[in-house]
Coordinates of all heavy atoms in Angstrom, one line a residue:
P3 N 2.2 4.9 0.9 CA 2.1 5.8 2.1 C 1.0 6.8 1.8 O 0.8 7.2 0.6 CB 3.5 6.4 2.2 CG 4.4 5.5 1.4 CD 3.6 4.9 0.3
T11 N -8.3 10.4 -3.6 CA -8.2 9.2 -2.7 C -8.2 9.6 -1.2 O -8.9 9.0 -0.4 CB -6.9 8.4 -2.9 OG1 -6.9 7.9 -4.3 CG2 -6.8 7.2 -2.0
P21 N -16.7 10.3 11.6 CA -17.6 9.7 12.6 C -19.1 10.1 12.4 O -19.6 11.1 12.9 CB -17.1 10.2 13.9 CG -16.4 11.5 13.5 CD -15.8 11.3 12.2
D53 N -20.9 31.8 -3.3 CA -20.0 33.0 -3.0 C -20.5 33.7 -1.7 O -21.7 33.8 -1.5 CB -20.1 34.0 -4.2 CG -19.1 35.1 -4.0 OD1 -17.9 34.9 -4.3 OD2 -19.4 36.2 -3.5
T57 N -16.5 40.7 5.7 CA -15.8 41.9 6.1 C -14.2 41.6 6.1 O -13.5 42.6 6.3 CB -16.2 42.3 7.5 OG1 -15.9 41.2 8.4 CG2 -17.7 42.6 7.5
G77 N -24.9 20.5 -16.6 CA -24.2 21.4 -17.5 C -25.0 22.6 -17.9 O -24.6 23.4 -18.7
I87 N -28.8 36.2 -0.3 CA -29.2 36.4 1.1 C -28.3 37.4 1.8 O -27.1 37.3 1.7 CB -29.1 35.0 1.9 CG1 -30.2 34.1 1.3 CG2 -29.4 35.2 3.3 CD1 -30.1 32.7 1.9
L88 N -28.9 38.3 2.4 CA -28.2 39.3 3.3 C -28.3 38.9 4.7 O -29.3 38.3 5.1 CB -28.8 40.7 3.1 CG -28.8 41.3 1.7 CD1 -29.4 42.7 1.7 CD2 -27.5 41.2 1.0
S116 N -31.0 36.1 9.8 CA -30.0 35.7 10.8 C -29.0 34.8 10.1 O -29.3 34.1 9.1 CB -30.6 35.0 12.0 OG -31.1 33.7 11.6
S119 N -30.2 31.2 10.0 CA -31.2 30.9 9.0 C -30.6 30.8 7.6 O -31.0 30.0 6.8 CB -32.3 32.0 9.0 OG -33.0 32.0 10.2
F121 N -27.5 29.9 6.9 CA -26.7 28.6 6.8 C -27.7 27.5 6.7 O -27.4 26.5 6.0 CB -25.8 28.5 7.9 CG -24.4 28.9 7.6 CD1 -23.9 30.1 8.2 CD2 -23.6 28.2 6.8 CE1 -22.6 30.6 7.9 CE2 -22.3 28.6 6.5 CZ -21.8 29.8 7.0
Q123 N -30.5 27.4 5.1 CA -30.9 27.4 3.7 C -29.7 26.9 2.8 O -29.9 26.1 1.9 CB -31.3 28.8 3.2 CG -32.6 29.3 3.8 CD -33.0 30.6 3.2 OE1 -32.9 30.8 2.0 NE2 -33.5 31.5 4.0
L132 N -22.0 18.7 -5.6 CA -20.6 19.2 -5.5 C -20.7 20.7 -5.2 O -21.6 21.4 -5.7 CB -19.8 19.0 -6.8 CG -19.8 17.6 -7.3 CD1 -19.1 17.5 -8.7 CD2 -19.2 16.6 -6.3
T138 N -11.9 28.7 -3.1 CA -12.7 28.1 -2.1 C -12.3 28.4 -0.7 O -13.0 28.2 0.3 CB -12.8 26.6 -2.2 OG1 -11.5 26.0 -2.2 CG2 -13.5 26.2 -3.5
F144 N -15.1 29.9 6.2 CA -16.3 30.4 7.0 C -17.3 29.3 7.2 O -17.9 29.3 8.3 CB -16.9 31.6 6.3 CG -16.2 32.9 6.5 CD1 -15.1 33.3 5.8 CD2 -16.6 33.7 7.5 CE1 -14.4 34.5 6.0 CE2 -16.0 34.9 7.8 CZ -14.9 35.3 7.0
L158 N -16.4 19.0 7.7 CA -17.2 17.9 7.1 C -16.5 17.5 5.8 O -15.9 18.4 5.1 CB -18.6 18.3 6.9 CG -19.4 18.7 8.1 CD1 -20.8 19.3 7.7 CD2 -19.6 17.5 9.0
M170 N -5.3 27.6 -12.4 CA -3.9 27.5 -12.2 C -3.3 26.1 -12.7 O -2.2 26.1 -13.2 CB -3.6 27.7 -10.7 CG -3.9 29.1 -10.2 SD -3.8 29.2 -8.4 CE -2.1 29.2 -8.1
N181 N 3.8 34.2 -13.4 CA 4.1 35.4 -12.7 C 3.3 36.6 -13.3 O 3.2 37.6 -12.7 CB 5.6 35.8 -12.7 CG 6.2 35.8 -14.1 OD1 5.5 35.7 -15.1 ND2 7.5 36.0 -14.1
D182 N 2.7 36.5 -14.5 CA 1.9 37.6 -15.1 C 0.5 37.3 -15.1 O -0.3 37.9 -15.8 CB 2.4 37.9 -16.5 CG 2.3 36.7 -17.4 OD1 2.0 35.6 -16.9 OD2 2.3 36.9 -18.7
D184 N -3.3 36.9 -13.4 CA -4.1 37.4 -12.3 C -5.2 36.4 -12.2 O -6.0 36.2 -13.1 CB -4.7 38.8 -12.8 CG -5.5 39.5 -11.7 OD1 -6.0 38.8 -10.7 OD2 -5.7 40.7 -11.7
A212 N -20.1 30.2 -12.1 CA -20.7 29.1 -12.8 C -20.4 29.2 -14.3 O -20.1 28.1 -14.9 CB -22.3 29.1 -12.6
E213 N -20.5 30.3 -14.9 CA -20.2 30.5 -16.3 C -18.8 30.2 -16.6 O -18.4 29.5 -17.6 CB -20.5 31.9 -16.7 CG -22.0 32.3 -16.8 CD -22.2 33.7 -17.1 OE1 -21.3 34.5 -17.1 OE2 -23.4 34.1 -17.4
D226 N -15.3 15.3 -24.5 CA -14.8 14.1 -23.8 C -15.4 13.9 -22.5 O -15.9 14.9 -21.8 CB -13.3 14.1 -23.7 CG -12.6 14.1 -25.0 OD1 -13.2 13.7 -26.0 OD2 -11.4 14.5 -25.1
H227 N -15.5 12.6 -22.0 CA -16.0 12.3 -20.7 C -15.0 12.8 -19.6 O -13.8 12.6 -19.8 CB -16.2 10.8 -20.6 CG -16.5 10.3 -19.2 ND1 -17.8 10.4 -18.7 CD2 -15.7 9.8 -18.2 CE1 -17.7 9.9 -17.4 NE2 -16.5 9.6 -17.1
D235 N -8.9 16.4 -8.4 CA -7.5 16.5 -8.4 C -7.0 17.8 -8.9 O -6.0 18.4 -8.4 CB -6.8 15.3 -9.2 CG -6.9 14.0 -8.4 OD1 -7.3 14.0 -7.2 OD2 -6.5 12.9 -9.0
S237 N -8.5 20.6 -8.8 CA -8.9 21.6 -7.8 C -8.1 21.6 -6.5 O -8.2 22.6 -5.7 CB -10.4 21.4 -7.5 OG -11.3 21.7 -8.6

Side-chain angles (χ1 to χ4, degrees):
T11 300
D53 185 83
T57 61
I87 295 176
L88 304 183
S116 69
S119 295
F121 265 106
Q123 291 188 41
L132 307 178
T138 57
F144 278 85
L158 299 172
M170 294 171 72
N181 56 4
D182 61 345
D184 188 337
E213 292 176 348
D226 294 339
H227 171 82
D235 283 354
S237 291

